[in-house]
């Protein structure tokens, strides 16, 4: 299993070709940074992306706080699932 982590609008577009072309078992992890329909759900609908397997629900905060909250929330997910790889798409 591979964890594919995304959470912001540019990232949703980047995971689309990965999901469609990677011939492996994936677990889609949404950080929850963008949490309302216009910032998140609409992209999943328009790109026909699968519903995330896990939503970390970190919400809005400063970049530092969001990063820390993502790491804290993802650690138990990682330890429980023990993925072979973790792919984190980013826009910067």
């Amino acid at each position: 299993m591979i964890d594919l982590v995304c959470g912001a609008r540019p990232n949703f577009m980047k995971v689309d070709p990965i999901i469609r072309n990677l011939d492996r078992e994936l677990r889609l992890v949404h950080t929850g940074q963008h949490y309302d329909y216009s910032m998140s759900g609409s992209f999943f609908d328009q790109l026909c992306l699968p519903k995330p397997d896990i939503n970390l629900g970190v919400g809005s905060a400063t970049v530092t706080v969001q990063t820390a909250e993502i790491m804290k929330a993802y650690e138990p997910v990682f330890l429980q699932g023990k993925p072979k790889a973790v792919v984190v798409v980013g826009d910067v």
Side-chain angles (χ1 to χ4, degrees):
M1 173 181 44
I2 296 174
D3 276 359
L4 183 55
V5 181
C6 64
R9 292 169 296 162
N11 304 158
F12 304 141
M13 291 177 273
K14 291 176 184 174
V15 299
D16 180 50
I18 296 170
I19 290 171
R20 294 182 193 284
N21 294 292
L22 192 60
D23 190 23
R24 309 249 1 236
E25 183 184 352
L26 291 174
R27 184 167 66 168
L28 186 56
V29 180
H30 190 318
T31 63
Q33 291 167 260
H34 289 174
Y35 44 83
D36 68 10
Y37 181 78
S38 65
M39 296 286 279
S40 179
S42 64
F43 287 87
F44 280 84
D45 289 347
Q46 291 170 11
L47 295 169
C48 298
L49 292 171
K51 181 180 176 187
D53 298 293
I54 297 164
N55 189 319
L56 301 177
V58 300
S60 297
T62 66
V63 172
T64 305
V65 170
Q66 278 185 328
T67 301
E69 292 300 321
I70 291 166
M71 292 173 67
K72 286 173 24 185
Y74 181 65
E75 182 178 27
V77 169
F78 176 84
L79 293 173
Q80 179 186 22
K82 296 189 172 79
K84 298 273 185 201
V86 178
V87 177
V88 181
V89 295
D91 56 320
V92 293

